[in-house]
Amino acid sequence: MAEVTQLIHQYLRHNKKFPLVFCPGCGHGIVLGSLVRSVHALGLSKDEVVVVAGIGCSGRIAAYVDFNTVHATHGRALTIATGIKMANPGLTVIAVMGDGDAFSIGGNHLIHAARRNIGVTALVLNNFIYGMTGGQCSSTTPEGAYSHTSPMGQLEAAFDIVELTRAAGASGVARGTVFHVKALDGLIAAALSQPGFNLVEALTPCFTQYGRGNGFKSAVDMFKWLKDKAVPLEAYEKLEDKAGRIPIGVFVKRDAPGLETRYAAMRQRLLEKRGGAA
Amino acid sequence: MSASSKGQNRVVVYPDWCKGCGICVAFCPKHVLAPGPDGKAVVVDEDACVNCGFCEPHCPDFAIVVAPRNGNGVNGRPNGKSPATDATHGKEDCP
């Protein structure tokens, strides 16, 4: 297995400060490794890949990987990714966002990116909380959960990222966890190779801000929780008691051309029309 | 995972990058790793490692490397035909 770590080192910027900035037990590093393995598995060169990241803990991922990287403003990773993809459709554009970045502040951008079906892969690192800013509740904080801005328990219902993106019209929607990392590798690789807007939600535990307030004794406890609660979609559908269980796997997979492909086709059509008329 | 790679692997934890989160220690099926005095993972029973492939991708800080001792890299992964381990194995069960 030595190749696993060696491979990641090929894609890291070693002039950055290491170890990673993430807290001990944070799953973001695992997602970073998963992203690198997926890109490598598809045989893409570093110059063909653009990673756009927003603000938040997940935004640090863009600093560590040796692809073309953009660190965008809060919630705007997808807008910048959309621009990059439209300007140069040959690139593989990945928008790395946290749950607050993607669904609270950038929620509008996300549903419209999904509606347009722009050929960007959104990698949403869902840790159920605003980790970097100090543990405020986000739109994915489960109902009843403790956070610094919901000390008596979150009153609001949480977004189901998968259902929302499915309804908005994305080409592909998948959910994985950092515990099931090999499955996550496959989900990200599949999302990268499919045209249109693809979203992969990666459940990653935030022990520092979320776990401590919600009855988890350690980061390891949160990984055990993911191991116990996450079930593959096929098995989940057969479950009688679905309470508290999290389905993982591919939820939506449809073959639809991305916006950049449709744009190029329209441009070609109009050029031919003009050429014919002239 | 084939049992044949037991005793053939070298496990290295880089202390500079390890943050002591304990994920590898908690989930290692063969208890190869244990928390050291500073909480960081240390290798305590390298011979028990079966190269199951859990710790390396699950280390959030890329601090663990598991490699076959014969230095064949990827090709050195369990093939079930190693005479060195067949002699010592027999009764031991590995996942």
Side-chain angles (χ1 to χ4, degrees), chain A residues 16-28:
Chain A
K16 297 289 174 188
K17 198 175 167 212
F18 282 93
L20 303 176
V21 71
F22 310 125
C23 306
C26 173
H28 283 28

Side-chain angles (χ1 to χ4, degrees), chain A residues 128-138 141 147-149 209:
Chain A
F128 310 115
I129 205 147
Y130 284 105
M132 184 175 269
T133 50
Q136 295 86 356
C137 58
S138 79
T141 305
S147 75
H148 290 171
T149 46
Q209 299 290 12

Side-chain angles (χ1 to χ4, degrees), chain A residues 24-64:
Chain A
C26 173
H28 283 28
I30 302 175
V31 181
L32 168 59
S34 199
L35 175 65
V36 164
R37 285 191 294 276
S38 310
V39 169
H40 182 82
L42 294 175
L44 299 168
S45 80
K46 289 179 184 177
D47 288 340
E48 289 174 309
V49 179
V50 185
V51 174
V52 189
I55 302 297
C57 299
S58 61
R60 300 310 304 155
I61 284 182
Y64 289 116

Side-chain angles (χ1 to χ4, degrees), chain A residues 28 31-32 35 39 48-55 57-63 65 67-85 91-99 101-103 106 109-111 113-114 118-126 161 165 172 174 188 191-192 196-202:
Chain A
H28 283 28
V31 181
L32 168 59
L35 175 65
V39 169
E48 289 174 309
V49 179
V50 185
V51 174
V52 189
I55 302 297
C57 299
S58 61
R60 300 310 304 155
I61 284 182
V65 283
F67 303 124
N68 304 294
T69 57
V70 183
H71 199 176
T73 46
H74 205 352
R76 298 341 176 218
L78 268 177
T79 58
I80 290 169
T82 302
I84 293 169
K85 187 69 182 180
L91 295 171
T92 300
V93 186
I94 306 162
V96 180
M97 300 171 285
D99 52 317
D101 204 37
F103 281 86
H109 300 306
L110 191 127
I111 56 173
I118 177 79
V120 168
T121 301
L123 184 56
V124 178
L125 284 71
N126 184 4
I161 292 183
T165 321
I188 298 176
L192 288 176
F197 183 79
N198 286 272
L199 180 135
V200 180
E201 176 191 5

Side-chain angles (χ1 to χ4, degrees), chain B residues 4-45:
Chain B
S4 65
S5 109
K6 188 165 176 174
Q8 291 186 331
N9 303 299
R10 181 152 312 286
V11 185
V12 181
V13 179
Y14 296 109
D16 286 356
W17 284 32
C18 175
K19 292 179 189 150
C21 65
I23 293 168
C24 54
V25 174
F27 290 103
C28 178
K30 295 291 164 189
H31 309 290
V32 173
L33 300 148
D38 53 358
K40 295 182 179 183
V42 290
V43 181
V44 290
D45 189 5

Side-chain angles (χ1 to χ4, degrees), chain A residues 3-12 14 33 36-37, chain B residues 62:
Chain A
E3 74 274 20
V4 173
T5 305
Q6 283 165 6
L7 177 73
I8 288 165
H9 281 281
Q10 288 173 24
Y11 287 87
L12 290 184
H14 284 273
V36 164
R37 285 191 294 276
Chain B
F62 318 129

